[in-house]
Amino acid sequence: MAEGAAPLPAPGPDPLRHAGPRLILLDARNRVERRHLLDWLHGAYGALAADEHLALPLSDPRREPALEGLAARLATADPATLVIPARVAWRIPRFEAERSLRLRDLLFGDPRMPGSLRARLILLVNRRRAQCLLGAPATVADLAARFTAQAGVEAGADPTAFAAFVARQAALALEVQERTVQGTRYKVPRFVADSIAASPRFRRDLAALAESSGRPVREALAEARGYMKELISTPSALFLDLRARLERFMMTQGYERGFRHDPAELARLADLIRTRPTVILFTHKTYLDGITPNALFYDNDMPMLHSFGGINLDFFGIGTLFRRSGLIYIRRSFQDLPIYKLVLRQYIAWLLDKRFPMSWALEGTRSRLGKLMPPRYGILKYVLDAAHDGGIENLHIVPFVTSFDLIRDVEEYAAEQTGRAKQPESFAWFIGYLKSLREPMGRVRIDLGEPVVVPRAPDPEDKLAVARIAFDASVSANRATPVTVTALMCMVLLGTAPRGATAEELARVTQLMVDWARARGIRLSEELDPLDREAVRATADTLVQSGLILRDDAGRETVYTIDPAKHPMASYYRNTIIHHFLDKTLIELALFRLEEDAPVDPLAAFWAEIDSLRDLFKFEFFYPPRDQFRAGIVAELERASGQWEAELRRGPAGVKALIRRMQPLVGHAALLPFVEAYVVVFEQLARLESGETLDLATCVEQGLVEGRQAYLLRRISSEASIGKILFENGYKLAAHLGLAGVTDPAVAARRRATMGELYALARRMEAMRLAVLAEAARDADQAAAAALAAGQVVAA
């Protein structure tokens, strides 16, 4: 709204023209605000009687208002008395353009909450900055009825509590009205601890806990108040602006300014947040994707997000900033603290009920492999338990996917996976992390998944329901993840390695993969849909500049490749999209098995191999139910050939024909590192003597050493196959197959058999890679022949 606009009245008839009794609550933090409000009221509506107004510092976070006067007024007021809240909203000149605070704003405090001297100076220089507002009014009778419904007691039975309730309601009405001036981004919760403490449900549950532990209720309440102070975030406009400025600074150090996103998709989310309890689950690949939801909401004037963080992040300086801008710090362990759990559950239920959206990482921790990690149930279970306890219905869980051209953390992940310890977070670490963001890293894109709707939260003991909801959110997040230029280039070049690819080969395969993805409704980054060769080339330049991809254009052709030392990093980007290709890769691998074995019943053998591969990679990917999974496989085969079953029954010739129709092949590019890592695990298990065992920690530790030697001897193709998580999942597979226990002759034989199957699978993947290179050679020959023919025609 423009500066100098008229004061905003409450919706409907002007409450100050009310013919009956009225009580105007002046939200005044000092005498200057009180005088300004009274001058405005006298000028606009005439003189007010002394008993028609009362000044209270409702918006001053530093002091509690003295409620005795209000309690006395309410006790003797006519039930028809209209209570009208009023406030001064202080505006910042030219703030809307950049939303950037000045240094003096940081030194002297939030200019939207000036002290007496500063307020007086502002009124002398520019009175338009002080805008008087009226909140929605209510009669004393209406307020008393609301108080009784919420607190469970009559207003007259506890006049002080009723006065506190009226003060809170007045402040909240003014907050709503002030947001029409300042913006929805400043919608923040107020009076949370008091509201929770006044809740009958909280008092009942707290009394039950006190009784079960043999403690006085007063002592239990004091403990609960302490936890409220620890848990409840206290956001303010100043700290929201400071955080937004810090996040903007972080996001623009190496990335292009502004997020790529679908405005219509964001508008639907904004509407959802207004009307439904909503949580945002973001995929977690870097520290920065914890920033992007907040930054996107702030930039688009959406309500701030409450997010969750470990108490380890509450360190000096930064911890205070985030606590005052919506971060909820929770302890790592509180199983033996029932009152802490009660406070946390009540706090979350309160936020959901009041339509304050929350967000946290779906995976709980940053993905060290690039692909979506298994979801963590901890915070999700707290939220679902709170929703169940609070009767919250139609909870909407929205996956939030951030895609980066380049991620600063990937080099750190690659080092961690080879055994280097993770650096602990601290203020010094944070400064170093900021400095590391200065390298050019391209663009940032945001996609929203289809919401997972929970009509009624499951019973807290229903662990299967929690897992199912988390699984559905993960599937939705995977579907919302776009195919990006970085991921696609890494997958193609890793698939041809150690051979590189010419610019023409890369462009041809990229086009084929884009067409393949578009036909299946898979999201594509804006450079790929439609294919923008200039934008793709710009991204390639960024990747070359970063050193992730090498480019040699000194000869007659431009050749791209990936340095073997960078394979673990390139593998990370490739892994962000391989779930889109999973059905295709399993079909390819099954077809290569059929081509090798030539079974009597190819169709039965095909489905047996598909089921075997599904089971082999069960710790790596999210599969739909078996019938849906099979339907997806059939749909992919139908796209390759409407007669795929007949082709399979034809035997080797039909299988070869299907393989040709599956080009370009990606199975080896997508899954070889997983297979090679499993080989390292099963080689360790196969060497165990009778009676020996191998625990997980030892398996991973030895795997890092033996994997490195296997790479040096080229028994595995890439250092991307060496990693702690890969070895952990390989060990989980062995345990799932019953092969991780004590060694005996039968177990040893099955281990060797499984290892043989893995060797054979890796061999088939190598055959697949050679087939891809042969196809590329044929295309190059055809292109050369066409060019020669064109030259001869021109000469003629």
Short mmCIF file of all heavy atoms in Angstrom, two decimals, residues 1-3 90-102 105 112 131 178-186 237 241 248 257 298-302:
data_model
loop_
_atom_site.label_atom_id
_atom_site.label_comp_id
_atom_site.label_asym_id
_atom_site.label_seq_id
_atom_site.Cartn_x
_atom_site.Cartn_y
_atom_site.Cartn_z
N MET A 1 0.84 -1.19 0.00
CA MET A 1 0.00 0.00 0.00
C MET A 1 0.88 1.24 0.00
O MET A 1 1.89 1.31 0.68
CB MET A 1 -0.88 -0.01 1.25
CG MET A 1 -1.92 1.07 1.29
SD MET A 1 -2.99 0.85 2.74
CE MET A 1 -4.10 2.21 2.47
N ALA A 2 0.51 2.28 -0.75
CA ALA A 2 1.34 3.46 -0.88
C ALA A 2 1.43 4.23 0.42
O ALA A 2 0.51 4.21 1.24
CB ALA A 2 0.77 4.36 -1.98
N GLU A 3 2.52 4.93 0.60
CA GLU A 3 2.69 5.73 1.81
C GLU A 3 1.66 6.84 1.83
O GLU A 3 1.29 7.41 0.80
CB GLU A 3 4.09 6.33 1.84
CG GLU A 3 5.15 5.32 2.22
CD GLU A 3 6.48 6.00 2.46
OE1 GLU A 3 6.53 7.23 2.43
OE2 GLU A 3 7.45 5.28 2.69
N TRP A 90 4.07 1.25 12.04
CA TRP A 90 5.19 2.09 11.56
C TRP A 90 5.77 1.48 10.29
O TRP A 90 6.17 0.33 10.27
CB TRP A 90 6.26 2.18 12.63
CG TRP A 90 5.77 2.82 13.89
CD1 TRP A 90 5.24 2.18 14.96
CD2 TRP A 90 5.76 4.21 14.20
NE1 TRP A 90 4.88 3.07 15.93
CE2 TRP A 90 5.20 4.34 15.50
CE3 TRP A 90 6.15 5.37 13.52
CZ2 TRP A 90 5.03 5.58 16.12
CZ3 TRP A 90 5.99 6.60 14.15
CH2 TRP A 90 5.44 6.71 15.43
N ARG A 91 5.83 2.28 9.25
CA ARG A 91 6.31 1.79 7.96
C ARG A 91 7.73 2.27 7.71
O ARG A 91 8.17 3.30 8.24
CB ARG A 91 5.39 2.25 6.84
CG ARG A 91 3.92 1.89 7.10
CD ARG A 91 3.04 2.20 5.94
NE ARG A 91 3.39 1.38 4.80
CZ ARG A 91 2.94 1.60 3.56
NH1 ARG A 91 2.16 2.62 3.33
NH2 ARG A 91 3.28 0.81 2.57
N ILE A 92 8.45 1.52 6.85
CA ILE A 92 9.84 1.85 6.51
C ILE A 92 9.85 2.42 5.10
O ILE A 92 9.36 1.79 4.17
CB ILE A 92 10.74 0.60 6.57
CG1 ILE A 92 10.62 -0.07 7.95
CG2 ILE A 92 12.19 0.96 6.27
CD1 ILE A 92 11.39 -1.36 8.05
N PRO A 93 10.41 3.62 4.90
CA PRO A 93 10.41 4.22 3.56
C PRO A 93 11.16 3.36 2.55
O PRO A 93 12.22 2.82 2.85
CB PRO A 93 11.12 5.57 3.77
CG PRO A 93 11.08 5.81 5.23
CD PRO A 93 11.04 4.48 5.90
N ARG A 94 10.59 3.24 1.38
CA ARG A 94 11.23 2.57 0.23
C ARG A 94 11.66 1.13 0.55
O ARG A 94 12.58 0.61 -0.05
CB ARG A 94 12.42 3.38 -0.28
CG ARG A 94 12.05 4.76 -0.77
CD ARG A 94 13.27 5.59 -1.10
NE ARG A 94 14.10 5.83 0.07
CZ ARG A 94 13.86 6.76 0.99
NH1 ARG A 94 12.81 7.54 0.86
NH2 ARG A 94 14.65 6.92 2.02
N PHE A 95 11.00 0.51 1.52
CA PHE A 95 11.41 -0.84 1.94
C PHE A 95 10.90 -1.91 0.98
O PHE A 95 11.53 -2.95 0.83
CB PHE A 95 10.88 -1.11 3.35
CG PHE A 95 11.32 -2.43 3.93
CD1 PHE A 95 12.66 -2.69 4.15
CD2 PHE A 95 10.39 -3.40 4.25
CE1 PHE A 95 13.06 -3.90 4.69
CE2 PHE A 95 10.78 -4.61 4.78
CZ PHE A 95 12.12 -4.86 5.01
N GLU A 96 9.78 -1.66 0.33
CA GLU A 96 9.17 -2.69 -0.49
C GLU A 96 10.03 -3.08 -1.68
O GLU A 96 9.98 -4.22 -2.14
CB GLU A 96 7.79 -2.22 -1.00
CG GLU A 96 6.75 -2.09 0.10
CD GLU A 96 6.47 -3.43 0.78
OE1 GLU A 96 6.47 -4.45 0.08
OE2 GLU A 96 6.25 -3.43 1.99
N ALA A 97 10.82 -2.16 -2.21
CA ALA A 97 11.60 -2.44 -3.42
C ALA A 97 12.61 -3.55 -3.20
O ALA A 97 12.64 -4.54 -3.93
CB ALA A 97 12.30 -1.17 -3.90
N GLU A 98 13.46 -3.40 -2.20
CA GLU A 98 14.53 -4.38 -1.98
C GLU A 98 14.36 -5.19 -0.70
O GLU A 98 15.03 -6.19 -0.50
CB GLU A 98 15.89 -3.66 -1.91
CG GLU A 98 16.41 -3.21 -3.26
CD GLU A 98 16.80 -4.37 -4.15
OE1 GLU A 98 17.34 -5.38 -3.67
OE2 GLU A 98 16.53 -4.27 -5.36
N ARG A 99 13.45 -4.76 0.17
CA ARG A 99 13.25 -5.41 1.46
C ARG A 99 14.61 -5.60 2.15
O ARG A 99 14.94 -6.69 2.61
CB ARG A 99 12.53 -6.75 1.31
CG ARG A 99 11.29 -6.72 0.48
CD ARG A 99 10.29 -7.75 0.91
NE ARG A 99 9.77 -7.49 2.24
CZ ARG A 99 8.78 -6.62 2.52
NH1 ARG A 99 8.22 -5.96 1.53
NH2 ARG A 99 8.38 -6.44 3.74
N SER A 100 15.36 -4.51 2.22
CA SER A 100 16.70 -4.58 2.80
C SER A 100 16.83 -3.55 3.90
O SER A 100 16.62 -2.35 3.67
CB SER A 100 17.75 -4.33 1.70
OG SER A 100 19.04 -4.40 2.23
N LEU A 101 17.15 -4.00 5.10
CA LEU A 101 17.35 -3.09 6.22
C LEU A 101 18.69 -2.37 6.08
O LEU A 101 19.65 -2.89 5.51
CB LEU A 101 17.33 -3.87 7.53
CG LEU A 101 15.98 -4.52 7.89
CD1 LEU A 101 16.16 -5.39 9.13
CD2 LEU A 101 14.92 -3.47 8.14
N ARG A 102 18.73 -1.15 6.62
CA ARG A 102 19.96 -0.38 6.62
C ARG A 102 20.75 -0.64 7.90
O ARG A 102 20.21 -1.16 8.87
CB ARG A 102 19.62 1.11 6.49
CG ARG A 102 18.93 1.46 5.18
CD ARG A 102 18.20 2.79 5.29
NE ARG A 102 17.12 2.73 6.26
CZ ARG A 102 16.29 3.75 6.52
NH1 ARG A 102 16.42 4.87 5.86
NH2 ARG A 102 15.34 3.61 7.43
N ASP A 105 19.28 0.70 10.99
CA ASP A 105 18.14 -0.07 11.48
C ASP A 105 18.62 -1.19 12.41
O ASP A 105 17.95 -1.54 13.38
CB ASP A 105 17.36 -0.67 10.32
CG ASP A 105 16.75 0.39 9.43
OD1 ASP A 105 16.41 1.47 9.95
OD2 ASP A 105 16.59 0.15 8.21
N ARG A 112 10.10 -0.60 12.73
CA ARG A 112 8.66 -0.80 12.86
C ARG A 112 8.22 -0.83 14.31
O ARG A 112 7.03 -0.89 14.61
CB ARG A 112 8.26 -2.13 12.19
CG ARG A 112 8.21 -2.05 10.68
CD ARG A 112 8.35 -3.40 10.04
NE ARG A 112 9.62 -4.04 10.36
CZ ARG A 112 10.25 -4.88 9.54
NH1 ARG A 112 9.72 -5.17 8.38
NH2 ARG A 112 11.38 -5.42 9.89
N GLN A 131 0.88 4.80 10.58
CA GLN A 131 -0.46 4.52 10.08
C GLN A 131 -1.31 3.91 11.18
O GLN A 131 -0.95 2.87 11.76
CB GLN A 131 -0.38 3.55 8.89
CG GLN A 131 -1.71 3.34 8.20
CD GLN A 131 -1.53 2.80 6.80
OE1 GLN A 131 -0.40 2.70 6.31
NE2 GLN A 131 -2.62 2.48 6.15
N GLU A 178 -2.70 -5.47 10.58
CA GLU A 178 -1.40 -4.90 10.21
C GLU A 178 -0.78 -5.64 9.04
O GLU A 178 -0.01 -5.06 8.26
CB GLU A 178 -0.45 -4.91 11.41
CG GLU A 178 0.84 -4.16 11.15
CD GLU A 178 1.67 -3.96 12.40
OE1 GLU A 178 1.24 -4.39 13.48
OE2 GLU A 178 2.75 -3.36 12.28
N ARG A 179 -1.10 -6.92 8.89
CA ARG A 179 -0.55 -7.67 7.75
C ARG A 179 -1.04 -7.13 6.42
O ARG A 179 -0.40 -7.34 5.39
CB ARG A 179 -0.88 -9.16 7.88
CG ARG A 179 -0.05 -9.84 8.95
CD ARG A 179 -0.02 -11.35 8.74
NE ARG A 179 -1.31 -11.98 8.87
CZ ARG A 179 -1.82 -12.43 10.01
NH1 ARG A 179 -1.14 -12.27 11.15
NH2 ARG A 179 -2.99 -13.02 10.04
N THR A 180 -2.18 -6.43 6.41
CA THR A 180 -2.63 -5.81 5.16
C THR A 180 -1.72 -4.65 4.77
O THR A 180 -1.70 -4.23 3.60
CB THR A 180 -4.08 -5.30 5.29
OG1 THR A 180 -4.12 -4.26 6.28
CG2 THR A 180 -5.02 -6.43 5.69
N VAL A 181 -0.96 -4.14 5.74
CA VAL A 181 -0.01 -3.06 5.48
C VAL A 181 1.40 -3.60 5.29
O VAL A 181 2.10 -3.29 4.32
CB VAL A 181 -0.03 -2.04 6.64
CG1 VAL A 181 1.03 -0.95 6.41
CG2 VAL A 181 -1.40 -1.43 6.79
N GLN A 182 1.84 -4.47 6.22
CA GLN A 182 3.22 -4.94 6.22
C GLN A 182 3.44 -6.16 5.33
O GLN A 182 4.54 -6.36 4.82
CB GLN A 182 3.66 -5.28 7.66
CG GLN A 182 3.44 -4.16 8.66
CD GLN A 182 4.42 -3.01 8.49
OE1 GLN A 182 5.11 -2.91 7.48
NE2 GLN A 182 4.48 -2.14 9.49
N GLY A 183 2.43 -7.01 5.17
CA GLY A 183 2.58 -8.20 4.34
C GLY A 183 2.33 -9.48 5.11
O GLY A 183 2.56 -9.56 6.33
N THR A 184 1.90 -10.51 4.39
CA THR A 184 1.61 -11.80 5.01
C THR A 184 2.87 -12.49 5.50
O THR A 184 2.81 -13.35 6.38
CB THR A 184 0.87 -12.70 4.00
OG1 THR A 184 -0.27 -12.00 3.52
CG2 THR A 184 0.43 -14.01 4.61
N ARG A 185 4.02 -12.12 4.93
CA ARG A 185 5.27 -12.76 5.35
C ARG A 185 5.55 -12.54 6.84
O ARG A 185 6.34 -13.25 7.44
CB ARG A 185 6.44 -12.25 4.51
CG ARG A 185 6.69 -10.77 4.62
CD ARG A 185 7.94 -10.31 3.84
NE ARG A 185 7.88 -10.64 2.45
CZ ARG A 185 7.25 -9.90 1.52
NH1 ARG A 185 6.60 -8.81 1.88
NH2 ARG A 185 7.26 -10.26 0.26
N TYR A 186 4.90 -11.54 7.42
CA TYR A 186 5.13 -11.24 8.83
C TYR A 186 4.06 -11.83 9.74
O TYR A 186 3.93 -11.42 10.89
CB TYR A 186 5.21 -9.73 9.03
CG TYR A 186 6.33 -9.09 8.25
CD1 TYR A 186 6.08 -8.16 7.25
CD2 TYR A 186 7.66 -9.45 8.49
CE1 TYR A 186 7.10 -7.59 6.52
CE2 TYR A 186 8.69 -8.88 7.76
CZ TYR A 186 8.40 -7.95 6.77
OH TYR A 186 9.42 -7.40 6.05
N ALA A 237 9.39 -9.46 12.98
CA ALA A 237 9.61 -8.94 11.63
C ALA A 237 11.08 -8.61 11.39
O ALA A 237 11.63 -8.88 10.32
CB ALA A 237 8.74 -7.70 11.41
N ASP A 241 13.41 -10.35 8.51
CA ASP A 241 14.12 -9.58 7.49
C ASP A 241 15.61 -9.86 7.50
O ASP A 241 16.25 -10.00 6.44
CB ASP A 241 13.88 -8.08 7.70
CG ASP A 241 12.45 -7.66 7.39
OD1 ASP A 241 11.78 -8.36 6.61
OD2 ASP A 241 12.01 -6.64 7.95
N ARG A 248 19.40 -14.51 1.29
CA ARG A 248 19.60 -13.95 -0.06
C ARG A 248 21.08 -13.81 -0.36
O ARG A 248 21.53 -14.11 -1.47
CB ARG A 248 18.91 -12.59 -0.15
CG ARG A 248 18.89 -12.00 -1.56
CD ARG A 248 18.27 -10.61 -1.60
NE ARG A 248 16.94 -10.60 -1.04
CZ ARG A 248 16.55 -9.78 -0.07
NH1 ARG A 248 17.41 -8.92 0.46
NH2 ARG A 248 15.32 -9.82 0.39
N ARG A 257 20.53 -15.01 -9.28
CA ARG A 257 19.50 -14.48 -8.38
C ARG A 257 18.11 -14.95 -8.81
O ARG A 257 17.79 -14.97 -9.99
CB ARG A 257 19.55 -12.95 -8.37
CG ARG A 257 18.64 -12.34 -7.33
CD ARG A 257 18.83 -10.85 -7.21
NE ARG A 257 18.03 -10.32 -6.12
CZ ARG A 257 18.48 -9.52 -5.20
NH1 ARG A 257 19.75 -9.18 -5.18
NH2 ARG A 257 17.67 -9.04 -4.26
N TYR A 298 9.26 -16.00 1.68
CA TYR A 298 9.47 -14.58 2.00
C TYR A 298 9.36 -13.72 0.74
O TYR A 298 8.68 -12.69 0.74
CB TYR A 298 10.85 -14.42 2.64
CG TYR A 298 11.17 -13.00 3.07
CD1 TYR A 298 10.87 -12.56 4.36
CD2 TYR A 298 11.77 -12.11 2.20
CE1 TYR A 298 11.16 -11.26 4.76
CE2 TYR A 298 12.07 -10.81 2.59
CZ TYR A 298 11.75 -10.38 3.86
OH TYR A 298 12.04 -9.10 4.25
N ASP A 299 10.01 -14.15 -0.32
CA ASP A 299 10.01 -13.36 -1.55
C ASP A 299 8.62 -13.22 -2.16
O ASP A 299 8.34 -12.27 -2.89
CB ASP A 299 10.95 -13.98 -2.60
CG ASP A 299 12.41 -13.84 -2.22
OD1 ASP A 299 12.72 -13.03 -1.32
OD2 ASP A 299 13.26 -14.54 -2.82
N ASN A 300 7.74 -14.18 -1.88
CA ASN A 300 6.40 -14.17 -2.46
C ASN A 300 5.32 -13.84 -1.44
O ASN A 300 4.14 -14.14 -1.66
CB ASN A 300 6.12 -15.53 -3.12
CG ASN A 300 6.95 -15.74 -4.38
OD1 ASN A 300 6.57 -15.31 -5.45
ND2 ASN A 300 8.10 -16.38 -4.23
N ASP A 301 5.71 -13.20 -0.35
CA ASP A 301 4.78 -12.72 0.68
C ASP A 301 3.85 -13.83 1.17
O ASP A 301 2.63 -13.65 1.27
CB ASP A 301 3.96 -11.54 0.16
CG ASP A 301 3.27 -10.78 1.30
OD1 ASP A 301 3.79 -10.83 2.44
OD2 ASP A 301 2.21 -10.17 1.06
N MET A 302 4.44 -14.97 1.48
CA MET A 302 3.70 -16.07 2.08
C MET A 302 4.09 -16.20 3.55
O MET A 302 5.16 -15.73 3.96
CB MET A 302 4.01 -17.37 1.32
CG MET A 302 3.46 -17.35 -0.11
SD MET A 302 4.04 -18.76 -1.09
CE MET A 302 3.31 -20.14 -0.21
#
